[in-house]
Amino acid sequence: MSTRPRHVPATFDLEGRLALISGAGSATGIGFAAARALGELGARVAITSTTERIHERVAELQHAGIDAVGFIATLDSEDGVDRLAAELEAASLEPTIVVNNAGMVNVSQAQMLSGDVTGDVADWRRSLEMNLTSAFLLTRMVVPGMRAARWGRIVNVSSVSGPVMASRADVAYAAAKAGMVGLTRALAVDEAAFGITANAVAPGWIATGSQLASEEEEGHRVPLRRSGTAEEVASVIAWLATPGASYVTGQVVVVDGGNSIGEERT
């Protein structure tokens, strides 16, 4: 039985829409939570990750009554995105909603790339590929279909790191996430005439399976005294994809429990 309410108000109704969400392999991550939230509003969801675990997420969504399909895809290269495009076309799937959530680190890597400005250029380039180029390539893939439909929603999962704040020894990630905001605003201007909106969500400290102990501790210092949840970020993503958000474009919505506005720390 579907968990989606029987009568979704028209302003939130995504019935008949296909949402493509990248980086949805983790059961505790923002991507999977976004897929569930969009599915509960009536969208069919296509989710990706770099490993076989995506099929477990699809099964969980289907068990909840959500129409879901999954793809193993590496999105930081043209070849990887071209392969995904071919699979979507073969399945007659044409997304008009895309959530660019893939990035930071995948399960095949030991740790997130980080370092200050004296770091290795290869790490810098790799971080940009994972966190920014992947969003560019996936968006480039879906925009022609959105233009043809004269309707589309692009939601980029950025971060407070880069656009709003910065952590120590994290220059590449901060630059990539700030770049994602620039990409978002450029898309908003270029695609508005086609009925396509583009917005970014900037999470702060979020309690996912990849959250470090030090990050959990930082979460206790924000004004709301806790880390956020993937579901709280997903609710913003889902709203930005709805018909009711049609006049919101080029914006960055910060989801950080007030951390970026609090001047004092205790």
Side-chain angles (χ1 to χ4, degrees), residues 170-195:
D170 211 10
V171 294
Y173 181 79
K177 290 300 186 179
M180 185 174 276
V181 172
L183 172 65
T184 300
R185 289 179 172 148
L187 287 166
V189 172
D190 288 345
E191 305 306 325
F194 300 97

Side-chain angles (χ1 to χ4, degrees), residues 122-256:
D123 286 347
W124 163 269
R125 289 175 177 159
R126 184 68 184 130
S127 186
L128 292 182
E129 288 169 356
M130 288 191 300
N131 294 293
L132 180 57
T133 302
S134 59
F136 164 76
L137 291 173
L138 195 61
T139 303
R140 186 177 68 165
M141 182 191 81
V142 300
V143 157
M146 293 180 179
R147 288 178 175 177
R150 308 293 295 186
W151 194 97
R153 298 287 186 267
I154 301 164
V155 184
N156 293 326
V157 181
S158 181
S159 172
V160 292
S161 294
V164 181
M165 308 168 79
S167 298
R168 287 182 290 272
D170 211 10
V171 294
Y173 181 79
K177 290 300 186 179
M180 185 174 276
V181 172
L183 172 65
T184 300
R185 289 179 172 148
L187 287 166
V189 172
D190 288 345
E191 305 306 325
F194 300 97
I196 301 168
T197 66
N199 292 285
V201 176
W205 303 116
I206 306 299
T208 66
S210 63
Q211 187 181 48
L212 303 174
S214 59
E215 294 172 333
E216 181 184 5
E217 178 60 30
E218 291 289 346
H220 293 302
R221 297 192 177 107
V222 310
L224 284 180
R225 300 293 189 228
R226 63 175 178 84
S227 294
T229 68
E231 289 73 21
E232 287 170 321
V233 180
S235 70
V236 179
I237 293 171
W239 177 73
L240 288 170
T242 64
S246 57
Y247 205 59
V248 179
T249 194
Q251 303 305 305
V252 182
V253 182
V254 175
V255 187
D256 73 345

